[in-house]
């Protein structure tokens, strides 16, 4: 398997983990799904207007599918950009797939802190504590770089 595929699959895994954690922590609760209207029964022989409407519905479904694909690619690009931003701050954090998964969890926790209104020195200190130890230790300046990368690429 080529390096690009491995990276792509790693990024997809990170996105799945992030989405799952965001869902579990309630970060996605603010999203209101559009109401679904029940479909009316169609007559046995559709009129020309109904046939045209059917074609429009199929075109809309195709467009929705393309839009969903685009959203997946856009999210993968954001995750890849975030991994690269983290690598620029401290390469040890994303040296292999397990560390990328660990970084994803730490990123989600930091996004939750941001969502909860934590900011300034308190947020920076928490990121220094959260990220330091194990594979690397960071300082406040590096924590600020990571926070900015999270806000740009990952946190809503």
């Amino acid at each position: 398997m080529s390096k690009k595929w491995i990276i792509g699959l790693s990024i997809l895994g990170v996105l799945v983990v992030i989405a799952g954690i965001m869902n579990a922590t309630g970060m996605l609760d603010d999203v209101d799904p559009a109401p679904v209207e029940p479909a009316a029964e169609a007559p046995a022989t559709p009129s020309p207007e109904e046939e045209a409407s059917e074609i429009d519905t199929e075109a809309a479904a195709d467009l929705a599918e393309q839009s969903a694909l685009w959203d997946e690619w856009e999210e993968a690009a954001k995750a890849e950009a975030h991994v690269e931003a983290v690598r620029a701050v401290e390469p040890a954090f994303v040296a292999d797939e397990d560390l990328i998964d660990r970084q994803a969890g730490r990123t989600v926790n930091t996004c939750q802190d941001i969502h909860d209104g934590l900011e300034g020195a308190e947020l920076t200190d928490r990121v220094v504590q959260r990220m330091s130890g194990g594979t690397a230790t960071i300082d406040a300046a590096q924590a600020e770089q990571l926070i900015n990368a999270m806000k740009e690429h990952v946190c809503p």
Side-chain angles (χ1 to χ4, degrees), residues 63-131:
L63 184 59
E65 183 178 332
Q66 290 172 358
S67 178
L69 264 174
W70 179 255
D71 289 345
E72 287 178 29
W73 292 334
E74 189 176 53
E75 289 302 313
K78 286 179 184 178
E80 185 174 350
H82 180 66
V83 168
E84 290 306 314
V86 171
R87 184 174 283 120
V89 174
E90 179 50 68
F93 287 152
V94 291
D96 64 38
E97 191 172 327
D98 290 337
L99 293 172
I100 290 173
D101 288 345
R102 184 181 304 162
Q103 180 64 32
R106 292 173 175 170
T107 297
V108 168
N109 291 336
T110 302
C111 286
Q112 184 65 47
D113 289 343
I114 293 167
H115 185 264
D116 290 343
L118 199 63
E119 56 185 26
E122 190 176 358
L123 178 61
T124 301
D125 290 344
R126 189 169 290 182
V127 171
V128 167
Q129 291 172 359
R130 184 174 284 141
M131 301 294 182

Side-chain angles (χ1 to χ4, degrees), residues 40-58:
E41 288 187 35
T45 309
S47 69
E49 293 83 18
E50 290 170 333
E51 286 180 4
S53 175
E54 232 175 82
I55 293 170
D56 291 344
T57 303
E58 290 173 11

